[in-house]
Structure formats: structure tokens, C-alpha cells
Amino acid sequence: MAKKKQIELTIEEKLQNALVSKEEQPYKIPNNWCWTYFKDIFYIENGYAFKKIDYKKEGIPLVRISNIENGIVNINECIYVNKLEKNEEKYVIEKGDLLIALSGATTGKNGVYYLDEIAYLNQRIGNIKIKNKEKVLNEYRNYYIALKNEDILNLAYGGAQPNISPKVIEFISIPLPPIKEQQRIVNRIESLFAKLDRAKELIENTLAQFEQNKMAILHKAFTGELTVKWRKENNINEKNFFNKVKL
């Protein structure tokens, strides 16, 4: 008897099978969105266990946990390694990739790699890849994983040296809007973030001016400028009133 031909599911059917049950949905979302699991739209590529003996002063940049800073990957002070001969593609980081720390006190911190040159992925870091880019935008992924940073750290185990397995992250639930709405969400986030950055800049400038004004007031206080009017109103003879003494 001939085997039944395997039926290939459409993307929509696969996504339908990946939905989070109503009982497990964290909160209500718009009707045209759906709850799905991390594992059904993303996968994590683990880094390579480079040894210190492999470190070089030049070559291909090696991204370690310390290179993930404030939502981006910074390789200004990275180390380098030679080109790998086997399974190189698994450990290559490309522009737009999202990396996440899988161990240490900063487990869960993540950052986007924005550089054109390739780099290699070190161990204890995961590269979060999108399974189907027709369904999920890079930027939507980036912002949602940034939101879950603290939750991922809370899921980690190991006490003083937290660790998290990609298998644990796989079952994080994710609200998934249609692709066009994802783009609108990303645009709105970036617009609001730009306003926050501008507000922060204005506040920092104001604080800097505030500190300068404080010092100017103190200078005037101890040079007699603040009490000029008082001395005139009270007929104070400044020549006889002020005396220099040693502390």
C-alpha cells in the first residue's frame, strides 16, 4: 500500500497551529492580532566556544557579552579571531541580527548588530533569527525582545551566575499583528523614542545650566555681590567691614 502523500501546510495554517491557547494568553489584544510562541516565529543560533588561544589583534571581530551595550552591539574594543573552517555560517553575525546574552548577571540583555562587516558569535550569546520574514519585521522583533529583557532574566537559573537555555525562551508568548500593522507600530515607537531622546537632551542641557548657575550664585555669595544692596541700605562701610583672615 502506497504511503499517503504528506500534505504541506501553508504559512497561515502553520501559524494557526502555533497559537497560544486562550487560557494562557497574558492579556487581550486586538481581534486582528494573534498570540503565538517564540519558537514558532524565531529560532536561536548559539555561539562558538572560542578559546583565549584563538584571540588575535586583527581578523574577524568576535562579539562577546561585554560588546552588547544599550541595545546595540559595539565592537570598538572587541577582540579578533581567524576565519573558521567548519560550520562558519552558523556563527556569522550580519547586519540587522539581534543578539541576546544567555548567561551572567546581564542575562537577557540584547542588542542589534548594525555594522556592514561580518563578525563571529561567541559562546553564551544567542542570535535570534526570524523564521519567516514575510510574517515578522526585524524591528518588531527587536522592540518586543527589548521589552522582555527583565522577564528573560527572571526566567534564568543558577544563582550568582544566571543562565538561560534557548529552550526556555522558546515558550515566551508574543503578540503578533499583521505585517503592515507591525510597521505602523515600529514607526510610532521610533517617533516617540525620538521625542524622548530630544526631551532627555533638553533636560541634560538644563541640568548642566542649573549646575553652572549654582556655582555662579555661590561665587557671588562669597565675593559680596549678593549683599551689595543690603550693605547700602544699612550704611555699611565696606572698607572697615571686611577683613582678610586665615582660616
Side-chain angles (χ1 to χ4, degrees):
M1 183 176 177
K3 292 183 179 179
K4 291 183 179 179
K5 187 177 180 181
Q6 186 176 4
I7 300 174
E8 180 66 25
L9 298 178
T10 65
I11 293 172
E12 287 72 18
E13 289 171 330
K14 289 178 180 178
L15 188 57
Q16 183 66 32
N17 293 337
L19 298 181
V20 177
S21 66
K22 191 172 182 179
E23 295 75 22
E24 295 179 341
Q25 294 176 9
Y27 51 84
K28 189 175 181 180
I29 54 178
N31 292 333
N32 63 328
W33 296 24
C34 67
W35 278 105
T36 186
Y37 289 110
F38 181 100
K39 65 184 179 64
D40 295 304
I41 54 177
F42 305 127
Y43 68 95
I44 296 181
E45 200 72 81
N46 288 302
Y48 182 77
F50 289 93
K51 298 180 175 61
K52 287 188 177 181
I53 196 173
D54 299 320
Y55 296 170
K56 310 293 180 184
K57 291 184 178 180
E58 58 183 25
I60 297 176
L62 177 62
V63 174
R64 298 180 292 176
I65 290 177
S66 58
N67 296 117
I68 303 175
E69 302 175 350
N70 302 317
I72 64 171
V73 177
N74 186 340
I75 64 169
N76 289 341
E77 297 183 2
C78 74
I79 56 174
Y80 298 85
V81 292
N82 290 333
K83 182 178 175 62
L84 291 172
E85 296 180 0
K86 295 181 179 179
N87 299 321
E88 181 199 27
E89 63 280 357
K90 287 182 60 177
Y91 310 112
V92 169
I93 305 168
E94 298 178 319
K95 187 175 183 177
D97 283 348
L98 177 65
L99 310 184
I100 183 169
L102 299 175
S103 69
T106 56
T107 294
K109 78 170 178 176
N110 46 83
V112 181
Y113 187 78
Y114 286 112
L115 303 177
D116 292 318
E117 63 178 310
I118 67 165
Y120 280 152
L121 188 68
N122 199 32
Q123 64 181 338
R124 300 189 299 135
I125 304 178
N127 191 346
I128 301 177
K129 299 280 192 176
I130 297 173
K131 289 185 175 181
N132 189 322
K133 294 199 173 184
E134 293 181 2
K135 292 297 176 183
V136 187
L137 293 176
N138 278 1
E139 294 83 0
Y140 185 83
R141 170 203 62 185
N142 300 346
Y143 286 127
Y144 190 73
I145 297 302
L147 171 67
K148 304 301 288 183
N149 188 332
E150 188 172 339
D151 290 345
I152 292 172
L153 177 58
N154 291 336
L155 289 171
Y157 59 90
Q161 184 70 11
N163 291 275
I164 192 163
S165 166
K167 292 292 183 184
V168 175
I169 299 175
E170 284 181 354
F171 287 95
I172 291 176
S173 52
I174 297 177
L176 191 63
I179 194 81
K180 289 184 178 180
E181 191 164 0
Q182 289 180 38
Q183 187 62 65
R184 288 193 290 271
I185 290 169
V186 168
N187 292 344
R188 187 66 175 142
I189 289 172
E190 291 178 348
S191 173
L192 293 171
F193 277 12
K195 290 180 180 179
L196 287 175
D197 289 340
R198 178 57 180 156
K200 180 183 177 183
E201 182 182 348
L202 291 172
I203 290 170
E204 288 175 347
N205 290 339
T206 301
L207 287 175
Q209 186 62 47
F210 173 75
E211 290 300 324
Q212 291 176 9
N213 290 344
K214 280 176 60 177
M215 298 310 295
I217 290 170
L218 291 176
H219 176 75
K220 289 181 178 181
F222 294 102
T223 57
E225 289 185 56
L226 288 187
T227 50
V228 169
K229 184 179 179 182
W230 176 85
R231 290 197 301 277
K232 287 182 179 179
E233 291 175 348
N234 290 273
N235 297 317
I236 301 297
N237 187 334
E238 296 186 19
K239 293 182 179 179
N240 299 327
F241 189 73
F242 283 102
N243 294 295
K244 290 184 177 180
V245 295
K246 291 185 177 180
L247 183 61

